[in-house]
Amino acid sequence: MDLSRRPSQARFAAYVEALVEVTWHAAKPLNDYCVGLLMPGERKSVEPMAAIVAPTRVSAKHQSLLHLAGEAPWPDEAVLGKVRELVLQRQGPVEAWIVDDTGIAKKGIHSVGVARQYCGRLGKQGNCQVAVTLSIANHTASLHRLYLPEAWVNDQTRRNKAHIPKEIEFKTKPQIALDQIRAAHAEGAAPGVVLADAGYGVNGGFRAGVTALDLPYVVGVQSTLTVWPPGQEPLPAKPWSGHGRKPSRLNRDLEHQPVTVKELALSLKKKAWCTLTWREGSNTPLTSRFAAVRLRPASRDYNWTKPHPVEWLIVEWPNGEAEPTTYWLSTLPKDTPLQDLVDKAKLRWRIERDYEELKDELRLAHYEGRGWRGFHHHATLCIAAYGFLICEREAIRARARSECIAKPRGF
């Protein structure tokens, strides 16, 4: 990115100064770290960035940047909150809170949290770190936390070497994501629809936790998820025999059973399906067939005393496919049009684009430190630099719109 133009320099200086207010750290290292991330460069680990920003003082600058990322005790959450505030000033209203995770491939075994696990970047199991993120759309990553496998949590030697805080315990990815959502909610972040893929949506505790915060969701689910067909629900508790504890849990019998969402989708009539376009692709509009019905999830409701609330099941069945390909559950209002349901379900694509830019332009994966604090500080600084990139793009678009309005007709 070109930071040599005076308007860009002024905006960047103001942006960094706003971040310095919440880091309680010297402005120069923070400025230089963000510059190193934004400037062109094949490697964006600390030493190559030091060579970019201080070519005559590489060793001293290397130590300064290394201290900022790996050791300085500034608060990630406060910086991310300020980034969110600065970016949303230039963006439209919040549409969604997007939950996801991203894998960072690693060759060694000593970097904090590294283990053999699924890595989206590789498209398979591999040696990697995984960060769980909550992104406030438009575009701003709000919170992130490293997923720490149980093998790391229970290994005190590895914990000590990586300086993992004592309070960090093992949590699943949905539990980490729910913690992030609760934190953003407690901070007063503008509410939005929570979006997540099936890795999170299949978790009933995650969905219940989001609902408890009065936040609607649209989350992916697997084809094997069980539901009650529209208009049906589990049977009431069995009649009391007069002996023992009075039954209170919901009931099923051989004739009254839930079905999988795949079975339900295949049973829908032709008129239930509608062809919709949700956004422009790189070459053509993105279009597919969708259906949506109101029903009750059936997951483990035999342990409940009341049925699950009614919500939306949204199904995608592209033309030419032998069966439906994607399923979502949603707690959006019952009068929500199908087009709006689809638009929200498909909005999650934004986080994939953000991950690509964070990794390809800002080199999120290039940090070479091994500690807990360093991993999170580097990711925070990458997001801070990305936030300025978003602001700068918006400034350019605003200037172009202004010039277009000011230009006389006919020119």
Side-chain angles (χ1 to χ4, degrees), residues 33 46 86 110 122 186 191 208 217 273 299 315 326 329 367 371 380-381 406:
Y33 205 105
V46 174
L86 294 170
H110 300 294
L122 301 174
Y217 61 69
W273 298 93
S299 304
V315 186
T326 319
L329 284 178
Y367 182 67
T380 294
L381 293 168

Side-chain angles (χ1 to χ4, degrees), residues 261-276 288-293 313-319 321-328 338 342:
V261 291
K262 178 179 177 180
E263 290 171 333
L264 179 67
L266 291 172
S267 72
L268 294 176
K269 295 181 180 179
K270 186 176 181 179
K271 64 180 182 180
W273 298 93
C274 182
T275 299
L276 296 173
S288 190
R289 291 195 308 156
F290 298 90
V293 293
L313 171 68
I314 310 161
V315 186
E316 180 180 3
W317 190 343
N319 287 316
E321 295 289 340
E323 60 184 43
T325 57
T326 319
Y327 305 83
W328 299 267
L338 179 59
V342 171

Side-chain angles (χ1 to χ4, degrees), residues 269-287:
K269 295 181 180 179
K270 186 176 181 179
K271 64 180 182 180
W273 298 93
C274 182
T275 299
L276 296 173
T277 298
W278 62 92
R279 69 177 175 88
E280 291 294 323
S282 55
N283 297 315
T284 59
L286 299 179
T287 301

Side-chain angles (χ1 to χ4, degrees), residues 238-247:
K238 294 179 180 180
W240 185 39
S241 65
H243 300 283
R245 181 178 296 178
K246 189 174 183 179

Side-chain angles (χ1 to χ4, degrees), residues 143-155:
L143 294 168
H144 60 271
R145 211 203 87 175
L146 182 70
Y147 167 72
L148 204 60
E150 281 191 273
W152 271 84
V153 172
N154 299 326
D155 189 330

Side-chain angles (χ1 to χ4, degrees), residues 301-320:
D301 59 7
Y302 43 76
N303 291 323
W304 289 45
T305 58
K306 294 182 180 179
H308 292 290
V310 175
E311 53 189 285
W312 286 105
L313 171 68
I314 310 161
V315 186
E316 180 180 3
W317 190 343
N319 287 316

